[in-house]
Amino acid sequence: MAGYEQLVNAFTTLVVTIDPPGLAPIFLGLTHGMTSLERRRTALRGTLIAFGILTVFAIAGEAILNTMGISIGAFRIAGGLLLFAISFEMIFDRREARKQKTSETAVVEDHVHNLSVFPLALPLIAGPGAISATILLAGSFHTPVDRIELIGVIGICIILVLVSLTVASRIDRFLGRSGRAILTRLLGVLLAALSVQFVIDGLKSVL
């Protein structure tokens, strides 16, 4: 079974990468004009799809890499650099603008009933960063029991996302512009440290 520290590290990495509070205002913009019931249905469907995507990569991500001839060490380095880029965006307030642009494009191109699939589930919840983090974490959860625990951690993170989307309007009012900015930057610094650790682990594995 995975250790407590390992589980906490996995939870922290995924929560910071997915950023449930940061999704709340974007979700409000995506679902503008919907009723409360429609918003809840969209949030539930989107989070379930995102959970399915991340679960697949938690189980078969390493096998996919092996098929492509990519070592887990190399992916840890690449994934760590990708997560560091995301943390850079968070710290310097560029990630919110990019996500907002993605959601605005999706509203034009996709019908409102498909919002739960794109862009909510993919790429806003289960985006490249979350998928990379999941594959990286799966490399440290070797046994079937460990993988089940990792899936459980993913499930907890997805539940937090669902709660955040369900109470999106309240969170947005509570945090305000300043609160969101402070929280995003703090999480960005934490993600930067975690991403550097991924790179160090990858270098140790390769060397």
Side-chain angles (χ1 to χ4, degrees), residues 5-205:
E5 183 178 340
Q6 192 176 4
L7 292 172
V8 171
N9 179 63
F11 174 77
T12 304
T13 302
L14 288 172
V15 166
V16 171
T17 305
I18 297 173
D19 186 21
L23 290 173
I26 298 172
F27 178 71
L28 286 177
L30 281 173
T31 58
H32 179 70
M34 287 187 180
T35 65
S36 297
L37 180 60
E38 289 172 335
R39 276 181 173 168
R40 286 196 295 270
R41 287 177 177 173
T42 301
L44 179 60
R45 187 180 180 208
T47 50
L48 286 175
I49 293 171
F51 175 73
I53 293 171
L54 295 180
T55 298
V56 168
F57 279 99
I59 296 172
E62 192 170 350
I64 295 172
L65 293 181
N66 292 335
T67 301
M68 299 175 66
I70 302 173
S71 69
I72 190 64
F75 192 83
R76 278 177 178 162
I77 296 173
L81 293 175
L82 175 60
L83 294 178
F84 187 82
I86 292 174
S87 70
F88 183 87
E89 288 183 336
M90 293 173 70
I91 294 171
F92 292 97
D93 200 25
R94 297 179 181 177
R95 193 185 190 199
E96 192 73 18
R98 176 173 57 81
K99 281 188 172 184
Q100 190 66 41
K101 184 178 179 181
T102 300
S103 65
E104 289 172 355
T105 303
V107 170
V108 174
E109 295 179 350
D110 275 31
H111 192 272
V112 67
H113 294 300
N114 295 323
L115 290 179
S116 56
V117 180
F118 178 84
L120 184 57
L122 187 72
L124 292 180
I125 301 176
I131 291 173
S132 299
T134 299
I135 297 177
L136 290 172
L137 292 168
S140 303
F141 289 75
H142 304 290
T143 68
V145 175
D146 290 345
R147 291 294 172 89
I148 291 173
E149 290 179 337
L150 176 58
I151 293 171
V153 171
I154 294 172
I156 294 172
C157 294
I158 292 298
I159 289 173
L160 289 178
V161 173
L162 178 59
V163 172
S164 177
L165 298 184
T166 303
V167 297
S169 57
R170 296 179 184 176
I171 291 178
D172 194 48
R173 286 196 300 268
F174 175 76
L175 290 178
R177 185 181 297 273
S178 299
R180 287 197 305 271
I182 293 171
L183 180 62
T184 299
R185 283 166 174 77
L186 287 175
L187 292 177
V189 172
L190 183 58
L191 182 60
L194 290 170
S195 63
V196 170
Q197 187 61 54
F198 277 132
V199 173
I200 292 173
D201 292 341
L203 287 173
K204 287 181 179 178
S205 176

